[in-house]
Amino acid sequence: MYDATSLHEEFDGERVPPGQRETTRFPVLSKSGTPSVDLSEWTLDVWGAVNERLELDFDALRGLDTETQRQDFHCVTGWSRLDNEFTGVTFPTIVEAAGVTDEAVHVMFHAADGYTTNLPLDTCTRREMLVTWEHDGERLPADHGGPVRVVVPHRYAYKGAKWLTGIEFLTEPERGYWEKRGYSNTANPWNEERYA
Ligand SMILES: Nc1nc2c(c(=O)[nH]1)N[C@H]1C(S)=C(S)[C@@H](COP(=O)(O)O)O[C@H]1N2
Ligand SMILES: [Mo]
């Protein structure tokens, strides 16, 4: 299993970032409750600055290279849950499958509840940036974004869209739901980039 729990070293920080408290619970934070996502109708759409638009159903997504990683999870409201096991497809695998073009500089993630969140492309093209459907050996619970969500251990968790439905490659930066409403656009936990 790939262990991503030492990535704090890259940010010259402690494993539990400043101002965070470790919890063994896994709280649920959603802007508007849990949408119902019918897996038989669900697809992950990938579009924008790509050579190959993708419309992956669940089996097609799981047919890409998958891996299991150990990762920490940092919520901007102050809790961190360490040593999660997530199984999924890494973002670089998706970039390759879609043939992302040189014009792409930014990424917008779209979700079934209308949520969006954004990141620069170079912040996404990392192995730890995972599109996942399994947590600690079980299918990802609906409250935590099942069937499929994004996890971002190098950023606060609001950068990880639950109920993922789309990945859009942009040629200009844009802001997502919380980034338009006062949360930090950069969201680095080791710099406590919580609010803009
Ligand atoms: N689609 C969607 N994704 C979302 C959210 C949301 O409201 N909708 N909330 C974000 C926030 S603010 C956080 S802290 C994490 C919480 O994930 P959890 O509920 O699994 O702890 O999901 C993020 N992803
Ligand atoms: Mo959050």
Side-chain angles (χ1 to χ4, degrees):
M1 181 181 336
Y2 180 67
D3 187 349
T5 60
S6 54
L7 78 83
H8 59 96
E9 291 166 8
E10 177 186 333
F11 299 98
D12 295 319
E14 302 289 320
R15 179 140 179 217
V16 177
Q20 296 290 108
R21 237 175 346 97
E22 188 183 340
T23 178
T24 53
R25 294 173 53 238
F26 196 179
V28 170
L29 279 112
S30 308
K31 70 172 180 64
S32 50
T34 298
S36 74
V37 178
D38 179 351
L39 190 54
S40 68
E41 311 254 295
W42 178 89
T43 57
L44 173 59
D45 298 335
V46 181
W47 74 94
V50 298
N51 288 320
E52 196 77 49
R53 284 185 70 126
L54 302 178
E55 193 178 324
L56 303 169
D57 64 17
F58 193 50
D59 285 339
L61 177 66
R62 291 190 298 179
L64 301 175
D65 284 340
T66 68
E67 63 179 40
T68 301
Q69 298 189 5
R70 180 171 293 120
Q71 296 194 350
D72 299 337
F73 188 102
H74 308 297
C75 176
V76 71
T77 61
W79 54 268
S80 291
R81 188 181 199 278
L82 306 183
D83 290 321
N84 301 277
E85 283 182 25
F86 288 111
T87 299
V89 172
T90 72
F91 200 83
T93 297
I94 297 209
V95 165
E96 196 187 316
V100 172
T101 71
D102 291 345
E103 281 89 70
V105 295
H106 212 81
V107 185
M108 188 69 75
F109 297 88
H110 297 264
D113 60 342
Y115 190 75
T116 51
T117 186
N118 64 283
L119 280 171
L121 179 60
D122 60 7
T123 306
C124 295
T125 47
R126 341 180 10 124
R127 187 172 178 184
E128 302 83 3
M129 181 93 193
L130 207 58
V131 174
T132 177
W133 53 84
E134 207 175 290
H135 176 251
D136 288 352
E138 311 268 351
R139 282 286 289 279
L140 190 65
D143 285 350
H144 287 298
V148 175
R149 77 171 298 168
V150 179
V151 284
V152 284
H154 57 314
R155 291 294 180 259
Y156 287 124
Y158 63 89
K159 292 288 185 179
K162 305 199 281 187
W163 314 295
L164 182 69
T165 56
I167 302 175
E168 180 183 9
F169 288 90
L170 299 168
T171 56
E172 301 279 346
E174 282 179 31
R175 283 177 191 240
Y177 183 87
W178 282 124
E179 292 87 355
K180 284 182 186 159
R181 290 169 174 78
Y183 278 78
S184 164
N185 196 24
T186 46
N188 177 347
W190 292 278
N191 288 340
E192 286 204 75
E193 295 162 358
R194 297 176 195 271
Y195 307 104

